[in-house]
Amino acid sequence: MKRAVAVVGVLLSDLALAALDPRIRELTVGLIEGFRERGECEFLSEFALQLPLTIFLEMVGLPLDDRMLLRGHIEDFMFSLDPQDRMNAHL
């Protein structure tokens, strides 16, 4: 567990995040362009979950194809009112 915390600490250091700034901006613009013509978006599902999830997957080198699978686990963990469902979501 200590090793995992150390790895996450390195990934989230100020220097590492500053290096990601251009990519984060690129992803942000891409997401906004995806719903701009409609003039609206469902903020949580189309932006607030997509952006950090995509950044995380890129940071740890996981395929973006896993985004929807991981997103389901995140939503289960964040929004379930049942403690057992929340516990199962992060296993």
Side-chain angles (χ1 to χ4, degrees), residues 11 15-26 55 58-59:
L11 289 174
L15 186 58
L17 292 176
L20 287 173
D21 189 64
R23 180 64 179 141
I24 292 170
R25 289 178 187 273
E26 178 184 352
I55 293 166
E58 287 186 2
M59 288 175 71

Side-chain angles (χ1 to χ4, degrees), residues 62-73:
L62 294 174
L64 294 180
D65 295 342
D66 290 346
R67 185 176 19 204
M68 294 309 290
L69 173 68
L70 189 53
R71 180 179 161 190
H73 291 298

Side-chain angles (χ1 to χ4, degrees), residues 10-44:
V10 169
L11 289 174
L12 298 178
S13 71
D14 291 341
L15 186 58
L17 292 176
L20 287 173
D21 189 64
R23 180 64 179 141
I24 292 170
R25 289 178 187 273
E26 178 184 352
L27 289 168
T28 300
V29 169
L31 287 170
I32 292 169
E33 289 296 322
F35 52 74
R36 187 176 72 130
E37 280 191 28
R38 289 193 334 251
E40 64 183 18
C41 76
E42 200 298 299
F43 184 76
L44 188 60

Side-chain angles (χ1 to χ4, degrees), residues 1-10:
M1 183 69 172
K2 288 182 182 181
R3 185 170 191 272
V5 170
V7 169
V8 170
V10 169

Side-chain angles (χ1 to χ4, degrees), residues 27 49-59 64 67:
L27 289 168
L49 286 172
Q50 295 297 323
L51 183 62
L53 186 53
T54 301
I55 293 166
F56 172 76
L57 290 173
E58 287 186 2
M59 288 175 71
L64 294 180
R67 185 176 19 204

